[in-house]
Amino acid sequence: MANPNKKVKRPDGLGKLFRYKTEEDKILTLPIEQLLIDNYIYIHRAVKKENFYIMPEDSCYFFKEIVYDNEVVGFATYRASRVNEDSLVMQYMYILPDYRNKGLLVEEIDDASLLFESNIIIEYPTKQIVEELLKHKLARIFEDRYVVSRVPFIVPMVSIEDATSGVVREEFDLTETKGYSKLSLVYDLELCAVVGLASEHAENMFVEEEIPEDADINDYNTMSLPLRSDDEEFDCINKRANDPQINDGSYFKEVRKIMDDQNDIIQNWLTIL
């Protein structure tokens, strides 16, 4: 019987890629958790032990092994982007604890960009992922708190009330929403939040039931829900509840001002390869 704790070997150092299939004009995506159970039980056990969140029954277009020293030590999954057809969304990336802080995130982004000939967008980044982007100069920090990233983030849009209610992403019911999503380059390290600024007016707050049918969703401010792992490590739910700018309604206006004041620096930095 095979040892379930033994890592999958890749002697050539190249990770395997699982792709979606088409059948009678139907796209058959890959069930993420079942694929882990069937092929990488040691990774699945680690995922469960750490309470790494994978949405129930979630699937992907591509499942890509992450290899270090010829062993599979993690995975990344990708789906199509509804926002930009030239991009793929990285839904999940997981690396076994002993292999973190080795630059594997940046390697994966570069590798996936070349392999799929697409820009990569990160869905619901953890603070740890953002700090890794900072470490490798793919993101830059302003005012000791606000990060601008070269790699875009994407999150479902929720109201500021929902984002500060104390409910984590893993427990928030999105089934009754219209599924609006927001692209953003801005992340708040203090609150562990992707900050989606309105494109025009900082006072436009996202409240789904109040959005007109013909509205441009980019004209509304939003903040990502907290992740359980970020709250456990960084107490971000409590910090959101007690943030003075959130409580007095000035938060998005202040973030907008910082981004506007630094706009020339940000734009020059973003264009430097």
Side-chain angles (χ1 to χ4, degrees), residues 143-160:
E143 302 289 331
D144 299 319
R145 172 171 176 176
Y146 302 104
V147 171
V148 175
S149 173
R150 293 184 189 272
V151 184
F153 308 130
I154 189 167
V155 292
M157 293 184 75
V158 298
S159 68
I160 187 67

Side-chain angles (χ1 to χ4, degrees), residues 158-160 194-198 202-206 220-223 245-246 249-258:
V158 298
S159 68
I160 187 67
V194 175
V195 182
L197 293 172
E203 65 269 19
N204 286 354
M205 306 298 289
F206 178 81
Y220 294 86
N221 295 304
T222 189
M223 175 185 287
Q245 293 175 348
I246 287 179
S250 66
Y251 178 83
F252 291 102
K253 183 177 180 180
E254 292 301 317
V255 178
R256 166 63 71 191
K257 184 178 185 304
I258 292 168

Side-chain angles (χ1 to χ4, degrees), residues 6-221:
K6 188 176 181 180
K7 297 181 183 67
V8 174
K9 302 287 186 180
R10 298 293 180 223
D12 59 4
L14 300 176
K16 184 176 179 180
L17 176 69
F18 295 83
R19 296 176 178 266
Y20 72 93
K21 297 180 181 179
T22 56
E23 185 178 285
E24 297 179 353
D25 296 326
K26 292 182 179 180
I27 296 176
L28 304 179
T29 53
L30 305 166
I32 297 171
E33 187 162 14
Q34 192 59 51
L35 200 153
L36 284 172
I37 293 170
D38 292 343
N39 296 276
Y40 315 96
I41 192 63
Y42 63 100
I43 294 178
H44 185 256
R45 287 178 175 175
V47 163
K48 291 299 184 182
K49 182 177 180 181
E50 289 197 276
N51 290 320
F52 179 83
Y53 180 68
I54 298 176
M55 189 180 298
E57 310 300 323
D58 208 355
S59 63
C60 61
Y61 278 58
F62 303 101
F63 181 104
K64 189 171 174 294
E65 295 178 347
I66 294 175
V67 175
Y68 184 82
D69 280 349
N70 298 344
E71 294 181 329
V72 178
V73 299
F75 68 92
T77 71
Y78 298 88
R79 63 170 175 83
S81 169
R82 303 182 189 92
V83 178
N84 186 336
E85 63 181 15
D86 295 323
S87 300
L88 282 178
V89 175
M90 178 191 283
Q91 302 158 273
Y92 306 102
M93 179 176 174
Y94 180 83
I95 298 171
L96 293 171
D98 291 344
Y99 299 89
R100 293 170 189 169
N101 300 314
K102 298 182 183 295
L104 293 177
L105 169 64
V106 174
E107 285 184 17
E108 175 59 26
I109 292 172
D110 289 343
D111 190 32
S113 297
L114 291 172
L115 177 64
F116 301 123
E117 297 182 342
S118 298
N119 297 315
I120 302 302
I121 302 170
I122 300 177
E123 187 170 38
Y124 255 109
T126 61
K127 183 175 179 178
Q128 184 180 49
I129 282 178
V130 176
E131 289 176 336
E132 190 74 4
L133 294 175
L134 285 166
K135 178 181 176 182
H136 292 276
K137 312 301 182 184
L138 288 178
R140 183 167 175 173
I141 190 168
F142 295 89
E143 302 289 331
D144 299 319
R145 172 171 176 176
Y146 302 104
V147 171
V148 175
S149 173
R150 293 184 189 272
V151 184
F153 308 130
I154 189 167
V155 292
M157 293 184 75
V158 298
S159 68
I160 187 67
E161 287 77 14
D162 285 335
T164 58
S165 67
V167 179
V168 294
R169 175 207 182 186
E170 293 86 341
E171 297 172 356
F172 192 87
D173 185 5
L174 289 167
T175 57
E176 299 300 320
T177 67
K178 296 179 181 178
Y180 295 123
S181 292
K182 182 88 166 182
L183 277 176
S184 177
L185 300 181
V186 182
Y187 186 89
D188 184 338
L189 288 171
E190 181 70 12
L191 305 184
C192 302
V194 175
V195 182
L197 293 172
S199 56
E200 294 292 337
H201 306 290
E203 65 269 19
N204 286 354
M205 306 298 289
F206 178 81
V207 180
E208 184 173 79
E209 55 269 24
E210 298 177 6
I211 304 297
E213 289 295 328
D214 59 348
D216 183 348
I217 208 68
N218 290 315
D219 288 341
Y220 294 86
N221 295 304

